């Protein structure tokens, strides 16, 4: 059983930065693809950024140039560096891992049926 634990969320003013982390266990598992999604109450969950086993990344248009997804394979940790945050970035952010589906980063953001999800970390951006 894979567990994903997000951290790093919080409150920040518009224009600020946050770095989200997603620690995965056990360390022996090797995902094909990992991604960050976000959700606002009353709206559908949306893909934000994905990275696959080749290191290919993909971003939602709304975050391109501001967010960077990366992973530390040695630490089995996924990151999302969020810069120039906007009010509309306020959401619960979730980490997702693909172990069985063998997705690519390009297709990942449109997929909602991931093998594993974290519990989420809240990001609040204020003016």
């Amino acid at each position: 059983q894979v567990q994903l634990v997000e951290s790093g969320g919080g409150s920040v003013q518009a224009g600020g930065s946050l770095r989200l982390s997603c620690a995965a266990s056990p360390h022996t598992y090797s995902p094909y693809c990992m991604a960050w999604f976000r959700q606002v109450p009353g709206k559908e969950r949306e893909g934000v950024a994905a990275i696959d086993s080749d290191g290919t990344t993909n971003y939602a248009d709304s975050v391109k140039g501001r967010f960077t997804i990366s992973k530390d394979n040695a630490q089995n940790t996924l990151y999302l560096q969020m810069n120039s945050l906007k009010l509309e970035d306020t959401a619960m952010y979730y980490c997702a891992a693909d172990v069985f589906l063998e997705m690519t980063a390009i297709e990942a953001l449109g997929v909602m049926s991931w093998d594993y999800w974290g519990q989420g970390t809240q990001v609040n951006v204020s003016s």
Side-chain angles (χ1 to χ4, degrees), residues 43-105:
K43 292 189 176 182
E44 291 187 355
R45 191 168 294 189
E46 64 170 350
V48 175
I51 184 168
D52 62 28
S53 56
D54 292 333
T56 301
T57 59
N58 188 28
Y59 297 92
D61 288 343
S62 58
V63 306
K64 280 181 182 176
R66 300 188 298 121
F67 290 12
T68 302
I69 188 171
S70 62
K71 61 179 179 176
D72 183 332
N73 292 324
Q75 298 295 323
N76 232 6
T77 302
L78 181 72
Y79 299 101
L80 185 68
Q81 178 66 44
M82 306 187 295
N83 298 328
S84 303
L85 282 161
K86 302 178 180 180
L87 297 178
E88 52 265 41
D89 294 320
T90 294
M92 182 72 80
Y93 283 73
Y94 298 91
C95 166
D98 157 37
V99 178
F100 304 110
L101 300 175
E102 301 184 27
M103 287 187 285
T104 67

Side-chain angles (χ1 to χ4, degrees), residues 4-69:
L4 304 175
V5 179
E6 301 98 331
S7 61
S11 297
V12 64
Q13 287 191 320
S17 298
L18 282 175
R19 188 194 196 200
L20 306 184
S21 298
C22 172
S25 61
H27 279 60
T28 52
Y29 105 105
S30 180
Y32 285 98
C33 188
M34 296 190 75
W36 289 97
F37 286 76
R38 65 186 181 187
Q39 189 169 23
V40 175
K43 292 189 176 182
E44 291 187 355
R45 191 168 294 189
E46 64 170 350
V48 175
I51 184 168
D52 62 28
S53 56
D54 292 333
T56 301
T57 59
N58 188 28
Y59 297 92
D61 288 343
S62 58
V63 306
K64 280 181 182 176
R66 300 188 298 121
F67 290 12
T68 302
I69 188 171

